[in-house]
């Protein structure tokens, strides 16, 4: 899909491709059956809600409601509310009614990227229930709240506005509420949806998330940290990631007077000197107008850029890693572990795409027991939890093959979770399912280094804990004999010697405590528990 | 009454030492110091063979048994427990046996671990454990268990022209009928009243003792006849020692011709490794090994065959002892074939322990045994008291023949032969190992 690498100035909206395709082939977008569709719809709206908040420096308040919408049929109404930046009213119909319309076709790490998600969900709902989507939204600077009831004209790939309205804001609200009805299968989707929300909550400790199920259960994940991940910045493409199509689009889209200017303004890491030498290699005169370049000349230029060895690594400004603090807070919020540590690696790059790997490890507390082969793995790509195809994911390969856990004193099965987050302007997903990440050498290596770093800290903790336990065991193996010793001594030294059993016991407890470093009352506890039988 | 006053005195003294030693421990505890029992180490590495006294003695190494050492804590508790039981028995004028002490001290200690789980532990499980603790207390206090009036099962027996006083009774050991007098666990409380004997013969095997007794051997040859019935207990060893020391009688030891027999002899003569702290009191340095020796079975020519091999280890001096054959075998070729038994691997191993691997390796011809010994005993250096020319000669025959013989065999050749030929000849000609 060429659309993915399109480039445009900030928040510019445009349509790029017809819609019937996704109506027909909705399974590509994850809407293959009622259970899967319900799950996918929740995901799409939750991810849009988070994109509208944390990517813009807003601490998210998100509310998800799924309710039964028909007495007889398996219709479910999905409502997702956020406190994000909202949409300008004139954009709403297209954002929710035109397939391949998005504000995320730029180089910046967001959860959404295709301009598809909301629309395929709405199409699916429309097709299975015939009911329209409702959107309520307002932006921070607007005085009014806007209301739309829409449907999609599948043939024209256009929104049909059924109803619209607006009213004055009487409190300082901004955000978006999307509500739609679709045919679903709650009982089969329920576990997945709960899992998805839980795993989302793990990496969003800065968000309040409320989830109300059709069964009337309420899940509330309360905000535990006020720190947001650094918001992503839009960046220019890196020359290593360029191809002919992108080059053409830049030539046709921009208004540059010379090809040299075009290079300098369209890419990161190209200044005057680099631009000149690239053009020399490509055999193109720097003063030519870009519009006059032939496709063959453009290809020469692309090749020159691809083979040029001296570019700086791609900037990571477009990335928005969670950060160590957020990961730790998130793991703590859900698992209350006895040990938690995290690391955010320095930015790295593969094929011209910057990426950052982050790893968190939680041990003990409420962390569930892992399998006996490897620790429980929580995978994330650009803050989105990956729930399926774990077996073919690069992170799985690393924790299974590259790390020997017993070296870190982890005896499997153990209450251990390893969280791996990969963020990039281009995640190398395996297949269209977007559920597992391909085994890219550079990424695999970074994951390994990150896990090793955190695992080393875990080993330190575990070895300390082991020593502490050893010490306690040692105390028991000494203290259990104290009463017998006291008894024997008082028999031998019995009367007249002034040796009191209580005093001897007290002193022995003191000695044992002093020599082992275990508090006196713990030694006492063991001594008091002793019973001498016959 | 003499005995009860001896007895009373022993009690009093033991009690005092017990109190004094354990008062120091209590004092240390009250001062907040580490509770430790300091006592001589009772292990092979701390057993010294005193060449001059010809005794196995306890060396100077001390061990510190600390309550704070996880590996020693249990032993520490056991030592105190045992001391308290012995103390009570002394105070109450009792005579417990080591088995009594085992039962009196055996009980469970139950306790909770850190996780609150209840565990049960026995103060000791087998009598072996409590017996070892008693030995520890002996070395810790420097008081022997007999002095603490602790008894053990009687094992040794004696008959002969000897009148003794034991307790309030005077006993004539020549009037025991077919039976014998059991040597009591506290032989120091025996008083020798009258004696008419010229030597003492100690027989390893109870059965042979009985045969010689019924045959009237001790009457005919004016002997005191004793059996240890296998490995000698402390009482038998002490009794023999007193006969040697106080009555100046020569002591002859008759055992099987095998490594176990040789070791029994050495225990009588120089002491044992586990009880080296008692050697000064129990060992009989004058005891002589009268047989059955390998040369009695195979003749001295057999040893001469090994002469060059042995000279390569021990030098020329060994040749002096071995080179001139003085006597012939007591058994004919045919008898040998009937009576000797093939040595088992265990016997060979044991012999290597006594004499050392170098000798065994030089002399054993059987390749299978040779290989086996190399695997198990390579580098074993042997006990110095066995690495004397006489014993080298003996044991070299054992290695080259890989054969052993029981005393009974000599008796089967004829009890008469054993009683009237073999033993008297050996004594008369001085044919023994000292
Ligand atoms: N809750 C929301 N708040 C603000 N803007 C929203 C919200 N939901 C959707 N939008 C806007 O609508 C656009 C279309 O959303 P849609 O989910 O269809 O595609 P996308 O998020 O861009 O990409 P993807 O297909 O990967 O989800 C978004 O790009 C965003 O600009
Ligand atoms: Mg989206």
């Amino acid at each position: 899909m060429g659309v993915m690498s399109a480039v445009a100035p900030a928040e510019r909206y445009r349509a790029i491709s017809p819609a019937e395709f996704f109506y027909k082939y909705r399974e590509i977008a994850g809407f293959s059956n009622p259970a899967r569709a319900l799950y996918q719809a929740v995901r799409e709206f939750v991810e849009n809600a988070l994109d509208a908040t944390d990517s813009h420096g807003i601490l998210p308040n998100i509310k998800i409601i799924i309710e039964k919408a028909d007495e007889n049929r398996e219709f479910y109404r999905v409502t997702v509310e956020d406190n994000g930046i909202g949409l300008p009213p004139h954009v709403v119909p297209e954002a929710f009614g035109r397939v391949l319309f998005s504000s995320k076709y730029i180089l910046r790490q967001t959860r959404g990227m295709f301009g598809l998600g909301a629309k395929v969900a709405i199409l699916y709902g429309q097709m299975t229930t015939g009911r329209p989507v409702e959107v309520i939204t307002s932006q921070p600077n607007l005085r009014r709240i806007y209301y739309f009831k829409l449907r999609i004209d599948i043939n024209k790939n256009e929104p049909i506005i059924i109803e619209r309205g607006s009213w004055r804001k009487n409190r300082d609200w901004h955000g978006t509420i999307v509500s739609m009805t679709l045919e679903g299968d709650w009982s089969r989707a329920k576990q997945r949806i709960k899992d998805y929300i839980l795993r989302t909550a793990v990496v969003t400790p800065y968000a309040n998330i409320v989830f109300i199920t059709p069964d009337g259960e309420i899940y509330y994940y309360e905000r535990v940290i006020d720190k947001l991940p650094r918001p992503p910045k839009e960046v220019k493409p890196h020359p290593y990631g360029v191809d002919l199509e992108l080059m053409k689009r830049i030539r046709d889209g921009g208004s540059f007077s010379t090809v040299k200017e075009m290079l300098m303004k369209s890419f990161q890491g190209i200044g005057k000197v680099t631009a000149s030498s690239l053009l020399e290699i490509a055999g193109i005169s720097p003063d030519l107008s870009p519009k006059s370049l032939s496709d063959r000349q453009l290809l020469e230029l692309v090749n020159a850029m691809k083979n040029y060895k001296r570019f700086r690594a791609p900037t990571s400004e477009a990335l928005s890693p969670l950060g160590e603090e957020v990961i730790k807070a998130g793991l703590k919020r859900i698992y209350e572990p006895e040990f938690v540590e995290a690391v955010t690696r320095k930015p790295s790059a593969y094929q011209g795409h910057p990426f950052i790997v982050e790893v968190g490890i939680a041990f003990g507390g409420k962390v569930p027991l892992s399998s006996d082969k490897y620790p429980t793995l929580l995978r994330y790509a650009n803050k989105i939890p990956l729930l399926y195809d774990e077996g073919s994911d690069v992170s799985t390969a690393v924790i299974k093959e590259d790390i020997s856990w017993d070296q870190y004193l982890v005896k499997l099965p153990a209450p251990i979770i390893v969280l791996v987050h990969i963020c990039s302007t281009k995640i190398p997903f395996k297949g269209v399912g977007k559920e597992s990440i391909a085994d890219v050498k550079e990424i695999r290596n970074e994951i390994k280094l990150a896990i090793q770093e955190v695992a080393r800290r875990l080993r330190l903790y575990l070895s300390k804990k082991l020593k502490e336990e050893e010490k306690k065991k040692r105390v028991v193996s000494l203290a259990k004999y104290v009463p017998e010793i006291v008894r024997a001594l008082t028999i031998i030294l019995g009367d007249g010697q002034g040796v009191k059993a209580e005093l001897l016991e007290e002193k022995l407890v003191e000695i044992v405590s002093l020599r082992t470093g275990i508090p006196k009352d713990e030694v006492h506890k063991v001594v008091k528990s002793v019973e001498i039988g016959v | 009454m003499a005995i009860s006053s001896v007895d009373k005195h022993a009690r009093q003294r033991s009690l005092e030492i017990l109190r004094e030693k354990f008062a120091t421990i209590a004092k240390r505890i009250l001062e907040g110091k580490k509770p430790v029992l300091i006592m001589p180490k009772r292990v092979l590495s701390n057993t010294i063979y005193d060449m001059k006294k010809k005794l196995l003695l306890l060396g100077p190494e001390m061990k510190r048994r600390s309550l704070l050492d996880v590996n020693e804590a249990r032993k520490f508790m056991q030592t105190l427990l045992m001391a308290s039981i012995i103390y009570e028995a002394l105070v109450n004028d009792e005579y417990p046996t080591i088995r009594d002490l085992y039962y009196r001290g055996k009980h469970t200690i139950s306790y909770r671990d850190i996780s609150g789980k209840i565990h049960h532990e026995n103060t000791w499980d087998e009598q072996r454990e409590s017996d070892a603790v008693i030995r520890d207390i002996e070395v810790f206090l420097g008081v022997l268990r007999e002095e603490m009036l602790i008894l053990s099962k009687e094992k040794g027996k004696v008959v002969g022209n000897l009148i003794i006083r034991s307790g309030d009774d005077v006993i004539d050991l020549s009037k025991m009928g077919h039976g014998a007098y059991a040597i009591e666990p506290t032989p120091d409380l025996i008083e020798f009243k009258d004696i008419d004997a010229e030597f003492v013969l100690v027989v390893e095997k109870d059965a042979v003792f009985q045969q010689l007794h019924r045959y009237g051997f001790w009457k005919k040859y004016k002997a005191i006849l004793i059996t240890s019935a296998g490995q000698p207990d402390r009482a038998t060893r002490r009794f023999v020692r007193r006969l040697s020391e106080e009555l100046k009688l020569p002591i002859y030891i008759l055992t099987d011709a095998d490594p176990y027999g040789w070791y029994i002899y050495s225990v009588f003569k120089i002491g044992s490794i586990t009880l080296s702290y008692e050697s000064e009191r129990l060992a009989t340095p004058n005891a002589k090994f009268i047989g059955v020796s390998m040369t009695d079975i195979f003749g001295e020519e057999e040893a001469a065959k090994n002469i060059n091999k042995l000279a390569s280890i021990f030098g020329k001096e060994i040749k002096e002892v071995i080179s001139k054959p003085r006597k012939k075998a007591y058994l004919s070729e045919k008898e040998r074939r009937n009576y000797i038994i093939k040595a088992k691997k265990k016997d060979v191993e044991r012999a290597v322990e006594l004499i050392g691997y170098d000798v065994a390796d030089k002399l054993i011809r059987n390749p299978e045994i040779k290989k086996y010994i190399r695997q198990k005993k390579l580098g074993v250096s042997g006990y110095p008291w066995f690495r004397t020319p006489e014993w080298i000669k003996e044991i070299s025959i054992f290695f080259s023949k890989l054969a052993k013989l029981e005393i009974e065999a000599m008796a089967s050749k004829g009890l008469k032969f054993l009683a009237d030929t073999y033993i008297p000849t050996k004594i008369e000609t001085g044919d023994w190992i000292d």
Side-chain angles (χ1 to χ4, degrees):
Chain A
M1 282 184 286
V3 292
M4 284 159 61
S5 44
V7 101
E11 303 294 316
R12 211 152 54 81
Y13 301 91
R14 61 193 171 89
I16 15 155
S17 168
E20 301 88 20
F21 179 82
F22 286 102
Y23 171 66
K24 273 190 175 157
Y25 301 107
R26 54 196 168 272
E27 54 278 358
I28 288 177
F31 290 80
S32 47
N33 59 54
R36 197 65 205 254
L38 186 55
Y39 160 75
Q40 197 64 37
V42 169
R43 270 190 80 148
E44 294 298 349
F45 294 119
V46 168
E47 277 156 25
N48 283 349
L50 285 168
D51 275 345
T53 47
D54 68 5
S55 300
H56 295 87
I58 299 168
L59 291 168
N61 290 327
I62 306 233
K63 193 170 175 185
I64 306 137
I65 304 167
I66 307 175
E67 54 206 323
K68 192 95 193 285
D70 194 289
E71 295 258 303
N72 306 314
R73 286 166 296 183
E74 290 293 298
F75 288 178
Y76 291 91
R77 186 177 165 87
V78 175
T79 305
V80 176
E81 174 178 344
D82 66 60
N83 60 336
I85 54 162
L87 297 101
H90 67 277
V91 171
V92 173
E94 286 198 287
F96 292 93
R98 186 192 293 276
V99 176
L100 300 186
F101 182 93
S102 173
S103 62
K104 302 171 190 171
Y105 295 141
I106 51 173
L107 276 183
R108 179 186 68 176
Q109 177 200 319
T110 45
R111 295 171 178 84
M113 53 206 251
F114 298 140
L116 267 181
K119 276 79 79 177
V120 182
I122 292 163
L123 272 174
Y124 185 86
Q126 189 174 311
M127 162 194 139
T128 52
T129 69
R131 300 192 193 173
V133 59
E134 290 164 72
V135 180
I136 296 168
T137 188
S138 182
Q139 294 199 291
N141 53 343
L142 296 181
R143 300 256 174 90
R144 302 186 74 78
I145 295 173
Y146 299 87
Y147 166 75
F148 292 85
K149 204 182 241 183
L150 305 167
R151 151 191 324 281
I152 300 173
D153 182 329
I154 295 169
N155 294 324
K156 293 193 191 145
N157 186 26
E158 261 176 26
I160 303 166
I161 300 167
I162 298 170
E163 216 179 299
R164 68 190 299 169
S166 74
W167 58 89
R168 270 191 80 81
K169 264 202 262 193
N170 45 18
R171 63 186 175 101
D172 189 18
W173 183 80
H174 57 84
T176 306
I177 306 170
V178 183
S179 200
M180 57 140 332
T181 307
L182 76 167
E183 188 188 44
D185 184 342
W186 169 246
S187 64
R188 279 184 50 222
K190 127 167 108 186
Q191 201 45 51
R192 280 179 186 185
I193 294 174
K194 286 179 186 175
D195 264 9
Y196 168 76
I197 289 171
L198 177 92
R199 292 210 183 185
T200 300
V202 169
V203 289
T204 54
Y206 49 79
N208 278 321
I209 299 176
V210 180
F211 170 38
I212 302 171
T213 71
D215 305 329
E217 298 162 291
I218 299 175
Y219 292 87
Y220 177 41
Y221 300 99
E222 197 180 354
R223 175 178 304 129
V224 292
I225 184 173
D226 282 338
K227 196 185 151 156
L228 279 169
R230 126 194 143 196
K233 283 199 190 125
E234 184 189 353
V235 296
K236 296 170 197 162
H238 189 275
Y240 282 152
V242 82
D243 57 26
L244 185 58
E245 278 311 308
L246 177 61
M247 215 48 159
K248 278 192 201 163
R249 198 162 300 126
I250 290 171
R251 175 190 66 188
D252 301 343
S255 51
F256 307 105
S257 54
T258 65
V259 58
K260 187 170 174 184
E261 188 198 344
M262 178 186 86
L263 287 181
M264 285 164 59
K265 290 199 169 151
S266 307
F267 295 96
Q268 44 174 295
I270 299 186
K272 254 194 215 147
V273 183
T274 316
S276 302
S277 37
L278 283 172
L279 288 167
E280 203 185 310
I281 296 167
I284 297 167
S285 161
D287 298 328
L288 282 181
S289 154
K291 305 265 191 265
S292 70
L293 292 177
S294 69
D295 284 3
R296 265 199 57 194
Q297 279 175 310
L298 281 184
L299 196 60
E300 287 297 323
L301 196 52
V302 167
N303 286 338
M305 287 164 80
K306 278 214 156 36
N307 296 323
Y308 193 73
K309 290 280 177 290
R310 299 207 306 278
F311 290 123
R312 256 185 284 129
T315 171
S316 59
E317 284 191 315
L319 302 186
S320 169
L322 293 162
E324 295 167 5
E325 230 179 295
V326 167
I327 295 177
K328 286 198 278 188
L331 286 168
K332 267 191 214 157
R333 158 159 98 168
I334 307 293
Y335 300 106
E336 298 165 37
E338 55 182 86
F339 165 93
V340 64
E341 276 293 341
V343 68
T344 300
R345 295 280 304 169
K346 290 219 184 64
S348 193
Y350 77 97
Q351 296 160 23
H353 309 291
F355 72 92
I356 291 176
V357 168
E358 301 181 280
V359 163
I361 293 183
F363 187 97
K366 292 187 176 156
V367 174
L369 216 57
S370 70
S371 78
D372 55 2
K373 305 248 164 23
Y374 50 91
T376 307
L377 179 61
L378 304 184
R379 297 171 296 134
Y380 296 88
N382 288 348
K383 300 181 193 149
I384 303 174
L386 306 182
L387 299 186
Y388 299 101
D389 296 343
E390 180 176 290
S392 57
D393 193 281
V394 59
S395 301
T396 312
V398 174
I399 65 164
K400 269 165 83 173
E401 294 159 23
D402 298 354
I403 308 279
S404 72
W405 288 97
D406 43 328
Q407 205 184 303
Y408 295 97
L409 304 177
V410 176
K411 288 196 195 68
L412 297 166
I416 180 173
I417 275 179
V418 176
L419 180 155
V420 179
H421 179 218
I422 296 161
C423 48
S424 176
T425 43
K426 184 165 191 285
I427 303 272
F429 281 114
K430 254 187 178 175
V432 285
K434 285 214 292 185
E435 289 290 359
S436 71
I437 298 173
D439 194 341
V440 174
K441 202 179 90 218
E442 291 90 339
I443 294 183
R444 180 166 183 158
N445 195 46
E446 277 295 305
I447 296 173
K448 184 174 137 190
L449 292 173
I451 293 179
Q452 282 173 338
E453 193 175 331
V454 187
R456 270 197 295 275
R457 289 182 227 169
L458 174 63
R459 178 177 56 200
L460 211 71
Y461 168 80
L462 289 177
S463 87
K464 262 200 204 134
K465 185 178 160 182
L466 232 76
K467 275 200 200 112
E468 203 54 36
E469 273 170 13
E470 273 312 306
K471 223 155 92 186
K472 286 192 176 168
K473 263 196 207 145
R474 203 181 104 147
V475 163
V476 173
S477 65
L478 306 179
K480 66 184 175 188
Y481 298 134
V482 165
E484 187 71 63
I485 289 163
V486 168
R487 197 180 75 152
L489 277 175
T490 40
I491 286 174
I492 298 172
L493 306 173
D495 350 86
Q497 305 270 339
V499 182
K500 288 229 165 54
E502 298 78 33
L503 190 60
L504 269 177
E505 181 174 302
E506 182 58 34
K507 279 285 172 186
L508 277 169
V509 166
E510 219 174 273
I511 293 167
V512 170
S513 152
L514 207 69
R515 302 285 168 148
T516 56
I518 297 289
K520 250 169 84 172
D521 49 321
E522 283 196 44
V523 183
H524 255 305
K525 228 168 80 190
V526 180
V527 172
K528 287 275 166 277
S529 80
V530 173
E531 270 174 47
I532 299 174
V534 186
Chain B
M1 193 176 59
I3 289 153
S4 73
S5 85
V6 169
D7 181 311
K8 221 181 196 157
H9 180 78
R11 263 182 214 287
Q12 225 31 65
R13 186 173 160 268
S14 301
L15 277 172
E16 264 162 40
I17 295 175
L18 254 168
R19 265 193 228 110
E20 190 191 306
K21 280 281 198 176
F22 286 94
T24 354
I25 309 262
K27 196 164 154 255
R28 280 187 70 96
I29 294 173
L30 293 177
E31 285 167 0
K33 291 185 193 146
K34 208 156 73 165
V36 280
L37 301 167
I38 301 169
M39 57 179 88
K41 266 192 192 162
R42 284 193 305 104
V43 290
L44 178 61
S45 63
N46 192 35
T47 307
I48 294 173
Y49 179 57
D50 185 327
M51 295 282 193
K52 234 161 86 215
K53 290 190 189 161
K54 297 221 155 93
L55 286 180
L56 265 182
L57 299 175
L58 201 54
E61 283 172 45
M62 298 298 250
K63 81 172 157 214
R64 300 168 61 86
R65 175 170 293 169
S66 164
L67 169 66
L68 297 174
D69 180 340
V70 185
N71 303 316
E72 295 278 350
R74 178 172 161 86
K75 274 271 173 70
F76 186 96
M77 174 278 292
Q78 289 176 334
T79 313
L80 269 102
L81 168 62
M82 183 56 89
S84 73
I85 303 165
I86 294 175
Y87 182 90
E88 281 181 319
L90 283 168
V91 169
N92 297 330
D93 287 329
E94 292 175 310
Y95 298 87
T97 63
I98 51 176
R99 188 149 187 84
D100 290 335
L101 296 178
Y102 161 71
Y103 280 122
R104 285 187 200 184
K106 185 177 181 220
H107 54 246
T108 57
I109 293 175
S110 67
Y111 61 95
R112 282 172 198 275
D113 66 15
I114 299 291
S115 62
K117 211 175 131 208
I118 297 183
H119 296 261
H120 301 284
E121 178 180 323
N122 281 340
T123 45
W124 42 63
D125 293 305
E126 293 166 49
Q127 196 185 328
R128 237 178 343 112
E129 245 182 302
S130 65
D131 285 356
V133 175
I134 296 172
R135 286 198 286 273
D136 283 339
I137 287 180
E138 291 184 272
V139 294
F140 175 61
L141 299 178
V143 177
L144 297 178
R145 77 174 189 227
E146 289 81 359
E147 299 174 273
M148 293 185 275
L149 301 151
I150 297 165
L151 311 182
S152 55
K153 209 171 84 189
E154 292 162 342
K155 206 172 157 208
K157 295 192 288 189
V158 53
V159 284
N161 285 322
L162 176 64
I163 297 172
I164 61 165
R165 178 200 284 275
S166 171
D168 288 334
D169 301 319
V170 172
I171 303 158
D172 185 344
L173 302 192
S174 65
K175 303 219 159 31
M176 308 303 295
H178 285 156
Y181 177 73
I183 301 169
E184 58 184 83
T186 50
D188 278 304
L189 305 184
I190 291 174
E191 189 190 336
F192 298 133
K193 304 282 293 180
D194 197 7
I195 175 108
D196 180 21
E198 283 166 12
F199 65 91
V200 176
L201 181 69
V202 182
V203 192
E204 173 193 347
K205 289 269 175 74
D206 190 14
V208 177
F209 169 88
Q210 290 184 44
Q211 288 171 341
L212 289 172
H213 180 19
R214 283 169 195 250
Y215 184 77
F217 174 85
W218 57 270
K219 259 185 214 133
K220 197 164 168 186
Y221 294 96
K222 287 208 165 175
I224 306 284
L225 188 62
I226 293 177
T227 181
S228 62
Q231 230 0 291
D233 64 2
R234 294 156 56 131
T236 309
R237 289 166 58 196
R238 177 66 189 153
F239 188 76
V240 169
R241 160 71 174 270
R242 287 192 63 202
L243 290 175
S244 161
E245 196 173 54
E246 294 168 33
L247 303 179
K248 308 280 183 250
L249 293 174
I251 312 288
Y252 302 111
I253 315 268
L254 180 64
T255 72
D256 287 344
D258 65 18
Y260 291 92
W262 304 329
Y263 188 70
I264 286 173
Y265 162 70
S266 85
V267 167
F268 271 114
K269 189 176 174 73
I270 60 155
S272 74
I273 292 159
T274 40
L275 296 176
S276 58
Y277 58 94
E278 283 232 289
S279 299
E280 299 236 41
R281 220 176 57 93
L282 299 184
T284 309
N286 288 329
K288 293 169 176 58
F289 177 75
I290 196 171
V292 178
S293 68
M294 285 284 157
T295 48
D296 294 343
I297 304 165
F298 293 100
E300 291 198 299
E301 316 87 64
E302 193 57 44
K305 289 183 194 161
N306 299 326
I307 207 160
N308 287 329
K309 288 181 183 167
L310 292 172
S312 69
I313 301 174
F314 297 100
K316 289 205 181 85
E317 301 90 79
I318 196 100
K319 290 196 176 177
E320 304 278 307
V321 188
I322 303 177
S323 59
K324 1 179 171 61
R326 286 164 300 173
K327 69 167 188 202
K328 279 225 192 71
Y330 282 85
L331 298 180
S332 68
E333 179 64 41
K334 191 176 154 220
E335 283 163 341
R336 267 205 293 275
R337 234 181 295 127
N338 286 340
Y339 301 146
I340 63 171
I341 307 168
K342 227 172 94 192
K344 298 198 176 72
K345 278 184 181 157
K346 263 242 135 339
D347 295 316
V348 183
E349 268 182 61
R350 187 85 201 167
V352 176
E353 272 162 35
L354 302 182
I355 195 79
Y357 173 77
D358 49 355
V359 178
D361 186 52
K362 272 258 152 30
L363 295 171
I364 297 172
R365 285 190 291 262
N366 179 322
E368 187 204 333
I369 300 268
K370 207 172 170 124
K371 196 173 139 214
Y372 176 77
I373 289 301
R374 170 181 295 272
Q375 281 165 1
K376 292 207 108 166
K377 297 282 165 185
L378 185 77
V380 166
S381 59
Y383 300 139
W385 57 95
F386 273 106
R387 285 173 77 98
T388 62
E390 300 288 349
W391 279 110
I392 293 164
K393 181 162 100 179
E394 267 296 296
I395 298 175
S396 78
I397 301 177
F398 171 77
F399 283 140
S400 53
K401 289 288 179 191
L402 291 177
K404 60 180 187 174
L405 183 132
E406 297 184 316
I407 330 170
E408 285 93 328
M410 287 294 188
S412 341
K413 184 175 158 79
L415 190 54
K416 220 170 128 37
F417 165 75
L418 178 67
D420 292 336
T421 310
Y422 182 70
I423 298 171
T425 316
K426 293 219 55 159
I427 292 176
E428 253 161 56
T429 58
D431 181 14
W432 61 64
I433 300 176
D434 192 354

